[in-house]
Amino acid sequence: MAVNIRTTKVRGLERVICYQFTGENSAWEALQAPGSTAFFSNGEGLHDGNKRLAVLGDTILRLALCDDWLKTGKSK
């Protein structure tokens, strides 16, 4: 059975970051550029490339930075 290009790219990403995803959709979405016309395996389109994951990542980063800041006890 032939391996499709999507699986090949996701496996390559997993090798580079040393992490194996439980499903391909998040990894596939992360690989897409804004405005991508790629689709999830269920046929749903990615309308904004990886914007959804970028917003999530930005929020998580802000939370981690605030947590570190609060632990210092400093007001600024």
Side-chain angles (χ1 to χ4, degrees):
M1 177 167 65
V3 177
N4 65 31
I5 191 72
R6 173 189 164 130
T7 300
T8 302
K9 288 184 176 186
V10 168
R11 296 299 169 256
L13 169 65
E14 290 174 336
R15 280 191 302 277
V16 168
I17 65 173
C18 299
Y19 178 84
Q20 187 171 1
F21 291 87
T22 55
E24 285 187 359
N25 281 345
S26 293
W28 181 244
E29 184 177 351
L31 289 169
Q32 303 311 307
S36 170
T37 58
F39 290 88
F40 284 124
S41 57
N42 66 1
E44 182 181 329
L46 293 170
H47 303 292
D48 289 325
N50 63 8
K51 184 175 181 178
R52 188 176 72 125
L53 288 178
V55 169
L56 176 63
D58 185 56
T59 302
I60 291 170
L61 181 58
R62 287 175 189 260
L63 176 61
L65 291 172
C66 285
D67 186 54
D68 287 347
W69 170 60
L70 287 172
K71 288 176 184 175
T72 68
K74 297 178 181 177
S75 62
K76 289 186 178 186

